[in-house]
Amino acid sequence: MRRFIIAALLAGCSASFGLQAQVTERPLPRLVQKDGRYALFVDSAPFLILGAQANNSSAWPATLPKVWSAIEYLHANSLEIPIYWEQFEPQPGQFDYTLIDTILAQAREHHVHLVLLWFGTWKNGSQHYMPEWMKLQPERYLHVIDKSGHPVDSPSPFATASLDADIRAFTAFMRHLKAVDSERTVLMVQVENETGTWGTLRDYSPAAQKLFEGPVPAGVLKAMNKAGVTASANWQEVFGPEAEVCFHAWAVARYVEQVAAAGKAVYPLPLYANAALRDPLKGPPGSYESGGPTDNVIPIWKVTAPSLDILAPDIYMSDSARYLKVLSLYHRTDNALFVPETSGAPGVARFLFSALGLQVIGFSPFGLDYTRTRRPQSGAPHSPEAFLEPTAQNYRLIGPMMRDIARLNFEGKLQAVAEEKGKFTQTLHFGPWDATVSYGASRNNAAKGNPDPIGRALVAQLKDNEFLVTGLFSRVDFHPADANKRRQFLRVEEGEYENGAFKFMRILNGDQTDWGLNFGSEPQVLRVSVSTY
Ligand code: DGJ
């Protein structure tokens, strides 16, 4: 899968002809923006990360087999997995590359890409992955201080010794990746994990307090549309009730930027930061982790941490209203949508399609490996496979056509949706054609929704009257936008993707098309030509 491209003569020939072999490395993965849309380019073409994130303590030789078997079952093309600072730098300045090398080698054996998660200064707002030698010196590697003067279980973004140590370790990690990964197994790196602080809104140490009482940096004012305020205005004066969270976001972003910039300077892979979210419908300060790239402070992070390519939401909500709101908040002209973590619960898998409708570059449910014994919940599937199945259905369907999906999305030709409870139909507009997606319809009966909202559908316009259509637990039909006209199917081809190309299998007609195009639990891909009469 990932071999060097021999760009010139083979070494043997070159020796005999006295020429030097030229070996071209694979191009670096990169984020590309065009016409307001983003794509992750891998091997110089749009790529879609169909991922799964391992559990936090799964990146060890003893547990990796339980990760790979789940990845295989899921048909995921990428694994997100942590790199632990405590393992990587057991003694100051001594780096242990063995685990990284093991993960890389095994990923290649399994023909799977990697997104590596740097569990550095922050992991879910705490410093639990700092090496022991740092934890034992809290007076040097400082904690956040709360309003009453007590240390909190969270690293201070003003701790210069911690920052220097993180820069040194992260740079060593990225330098090593550059040296050992010319195959580009690693697509992206996450810098830290869910940065910020629980339990207090910001650092109240004297050093932090002094900055809080000082002027807000001009870049932050501009990014937050506060350019009109007096240049000397302090955080409280500018941001009022949001002052503490804005200040902490700036402080954390400033720290992460220095780590990210140092790593990127040695190996410029796409980098991102993930966010523990606030409730997108009502999220006052104090109700969420303060300091990370939550939706209200995205502009602060963007201007303060320009070395990060993406700010990405970890979505653990399962209701459509909140899920769709979060997707829309992180799908911005200055931010590619990437979902690096989402609940692995079966009811959430369908939102991959909602995200595809917003040109997502990757989607990765959390904790889908076999290291965890799941307590059965009432009504929930019991076997591990039943738990993985909805994501596996997605990836069995989308995996083979992934390159086409990513390209069509980058070209702005694709729309996709997931079922919302109580909403039985959705309409997608393609100029003269409307594609209607319905759920729980039988024969010519009206749609009444699936018993649980698990439907999903995707339509891409290939030509004026030709569409690529697929889905699960849904029905798709086409209608001319002109109400005086009616549609007829000219040809409905069912095919399957082989080596990335649609291969014709049969023409569907009669019962298979008379009530619309029906998708169940099995992968089915159609190319549909329509006309009017
Ligand atoms: C979000 C974090 O980023 C993950 O590492 C993990 O802790 C999950 N929450 C919850 O299990």
Side-chain angles (χ1 to χ4, degrees), residues 448-463:
K448 56 182 187 319
N450 288 304
D452 287 316
I454 55 170
R456 29 210 137 138
L458 176 159
V459 181
Q461 191 161 26
L462 304 176
K463 295 184 187 155

Side-chain angles (χ1 to χ4, degrees), residues 85 88-89 91-95 97 118 131 133-134 140-141 161-175 258-259 262-263 266:
W85 190 1
F88 183 62
E89 194 179 1
Q91 298 299 329
Q94 279 179 24
F95 300 110
Y97 300 102
W118 174 242
W133 51 268
M134 292 179 75
R140 182 167 161 73
Y141 303 108
S162 308
L163 174 61
D164 291 346
D166 200 341
I167 288 173
R168 189 181 53 187
F170 186 67
T171 308
F173 158 53
M174 293 296 283
R175 188 175 291 117
Q258 292 172 78
V259 177
V266 297

Side-chain angles (χ1 to χ4, degrees), residues 408 413 430 433 459-468:
L408 288 162
K413 295 178 177 161
F430 292 93
W433 287 104
V459 181
Q461 191 161 26
L462 304 176
K463 295 184 187 155
D464 285 353
N465 299 316
E466 193 180 317
F467 297 88
L468 183 72

Side-chain angles (χ1 to χ4, degrees), residues 53-56 82 117 119 123-124 129 190 193-194 274-276 314 316 341 366-367 372:
Q53 185 167 145
N55 282 302
N56 288 166
L117 319 173
F119 280 15
K123 162 66 174 83
N124 296 20
Y129 283 85
Q190 179 185 293
N193 189 85
E194 292 195 349
N274 61 335
D314 291 351
Y316 286 88
E341 277 184 49
F366 177 83
R372 204 163 117 197

